[in-house]
């Protein structure tokens, strides 16, 4: 389910360290493919192969993934610091990384509560890394699919007060859900949130670079993923259908949403040039700087909107 799998830290555990969990290592999973593209270690060969296929048709696709991550940082900071919300429901969490939602929010608001949701057993295996809350706040993890909004909300309500504003985070996840489910699911989620709540959303689109991103979509569909590239109007529907008011600057690409600085977990390239040259392209991307981004490199829309 997860699109924004966030796995770039140097944890010693790997995906294989998940005894007793029902993990299908013969099929790629979006969370683990994103973990590959973020330079993580919690993935399998089948996930690496999927990431390699995507980069073969869109060599600068790692920029989408890492700028999407930086958008999440800016959006969570804005929701916490400017809007003042202290509760987050992050669906499609992905694998833990250095800057999870609770770490971003609790930096300035230690009492923030966060519920993470994902359906990948590998994410479940590493969920304890998401539960290291500041003592004044709280975090929890729900192992569930986005397509079960009622269950998600019921379990989230054990940690969050749904009678008060909540920030619903749907970052890089809805393009894995077909239209007949995506729009009703989002409507149900938003419908149970209190007035004053906020939605943070990003979504892949073919509006900008249709050949490259269309090729990426085909590589994922060939591996059994639902993969829907929505237009700007279709992405806007997640807000307009639910009566949400867009926060400035409205619907833009992820790198254009309230840009400040770029915070990215790029690693220093190996000093051994011969070793670096021997790496395959998937492994090289984690050493590549993303500050050279061009508009045509980015294929994700982003917006933040509030419920009145």
């Amino acid at each position: 389910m997860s699109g924004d799998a966030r796995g770039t830290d140097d944890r010693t555990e790997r995906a294989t360290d998940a005894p007793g969990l029902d993990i299908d290592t013969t099929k790629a999973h979006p969370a683990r493919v994103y973990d590959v593209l973020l330079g993580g270690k919690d993935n399998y060969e089948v996930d690496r192969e999927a990431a390699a296929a995507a980069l073969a048709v869109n060599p600068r696709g790692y920029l989408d993934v890492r700028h999407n991550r930086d958008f999440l940082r800016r959006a969570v900071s804005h929701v916490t610091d400017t809007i003042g919300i202290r509760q987050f429901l992050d669906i499609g969490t992905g694998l833990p990384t250095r800057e999870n939602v609770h770490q971003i929010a609790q930096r300035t608001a230690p009492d923030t509560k966060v519920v993470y949701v994902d359906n990948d057993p590998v994410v479940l295996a590493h969920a304890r890394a998401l539960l290291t809350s500041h003592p004044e706040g709280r975090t929890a993890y729900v192992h569930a699919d986005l397509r079960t909004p009622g269950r998600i909300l019921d379990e989230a309500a054990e940690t969050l007060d749904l009678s008060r504003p909540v920030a619903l985070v749907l970052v890089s996840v809805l393009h894995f859900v077909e239209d007949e489910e995506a729009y009703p699911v989002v409507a149900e989620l938003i419908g149970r949130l209190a007035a004053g709540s906020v939605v943070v959303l990003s979504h892949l689109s073919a509006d900008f670079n249709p050949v490259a991103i269309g090729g990426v979509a085909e590589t994922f569909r060939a591996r059994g993923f639902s993969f829907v590239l929505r237009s700007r109007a279709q992405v806007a529907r997640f807000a307009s259908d639910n009566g949400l008011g867009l926060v400035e600057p409205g619907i833009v690409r992820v790198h254009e949403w309230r840009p400040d600085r770029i915070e990215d977990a790029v690693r220093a390239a190996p000093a051994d040039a011969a070793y670096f040259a021997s790496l395959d392209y998937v492994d090289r991307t984690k050493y590549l700087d993303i500050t050279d981004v061009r508009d045509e490199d980015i294929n994700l829309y982003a917006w933040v909107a509030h419920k009145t």
Side-chain angles (χ1 to χ4, degrees):
M1 177 188 68
S2 171
D4 180 35
R6 303 156 196 165
T8 59
D9 62 347
D10 291 321
R11 295 184 309 280
T12 57
E13 292 181 287
R14 299 179 60 85
T16 49
D17 300 324
L21 294 178
D22 184 17
I23 301 172
D24 186 350
T25 62
T26 68
K27 296 180 181 179
H29 190 284
R32 301 193 305 265
V33 175
Y34 268 65
D35 183 61
V36 175
L37 294 171
L38 285 167
K41 299 181 294 183
D42 302 313
N43 51 74
Y44 298 96
E45 186 57 36
V46 67
D47 306 305
R48 287 181 53 82
E49 188 275 333
L55 288 172
V57 295
N58 185 22
R60 288 173 68 81
Y62 64 91
L63 292 165
D64 272 330
V65 176
R66 285 159 58 188
H67 276 281
N68 183 69
R69 179 68 197 172
D70 201 42
F71 158 70
L72 177 73
R73 172 189 63 81
R74 298 192 308 276
V76 170
S77 297
H78 178 77
V79 169
T80 305
D81 302 344
T82 303
I83 300 178
I85 289 179
R86 299 291 182 265
Q87 303 188 109
F88 287 80
L89 176 58
D90 181 6
I91 303 179
T93 297
L95 287 148
T97 186
R98 183 183 64 182
E99 286 280 274
N100 303 296
V101 168
H102 73 279
Q103 292 164 319
I104 300 167
Q106 290 180 354
R107 186 178 299 120
T108 55
D111 59 335
T112 299
K113 297 179 180 179
V114 180
V115 173
Y116 294 104
V117 182
D118 208 291
N119 71 345
D120 183 2
V122 175
V123 180
L124 175 62
H126 294 285
R128 63 183 176 276
L130 299 169
L131 305 179
T132 55
S133 172
H134 191 283
E136 295 179 37
R138 186 179 175 190
T139 61
Y141 179 81
V142 175
H143 188 63
D145 193 284
L146 172 62
R147 299 169 184 84
T148 59
R151 176 190 165 193
I152 289 171
L153 290 165
D154 288 345
E155 294 196 31
E158 297 176 9
T159 301
L160 308 178
D161 180 356
L162 299 185
S163 69
R164 299 175 62 82
V166 172
L168 172 63
V169 179
L170 297 170
V171 167
S172 199
V173 63
L174 288 169
H175 43 252
F176 294 106
V177 185
E178 299 292 340
D179 285 349
E180 61 270 19
E181 293 180 298
Y183 292 108
V185 161
V186 172
E188 184 170 348
L189 288 167
I190 294 172
R192 283 185 56 183
L193 299 182
S197 292
V198 168
V199 180
V200 176
L201 181 147
S202 67
H203 198 297
L204 280 167
S205 176
D207 284 358
F208 309 106
N209 195 356
V211 174
I213 198 64
V216 170
E218 288 306 313
T219 67
F220 285 123
R221 290 174 187 142
R223 287 158 179 80
F225 298 174
S226 293
F227 207 90
V228 184
L229 298 171
R230 294 185 171 95
S231 67
R232 186 183 189 281
Q234 291 169 321
V235 173
R237 276 190 56 195
F238 290 111
S240 61
D241 284 4
N242 296 291
L244 304 183
L246 292 170
V247 171
E248 289 294 331
I251 303 173
V252 294
R253 280 176 279 191
V254 288
H255 68 305
E256 299 168 327
W257 197 90
R258 295 180 178 254
D260 47 20
R261 61 196 181 281
I262 293 175
E263 288 191 11
D264 182 50
V266 63
R267 303 180 184 186
D272 186 337
Y275 169 72
F276 181 73
S278 72
L279 297 176
D280 62 28
Y281 187 62
V282 172
D283 285 330
R284 287 187 193 181
T285 60
K286 64 188 175 187
Y287 301 111
L288 301 179
D289 188 2
I290 67 169
T291 59
D292 66 339
V293 64
R294 305 165 303 192
D295 285 348
E296 60 265 31
D297 292 325
I298 302 299
N299 300 282
L300 286 129
Y301 282 116
W303 53 254
V304 174
H306 55 85
K307 178 178 179 178
T308 57

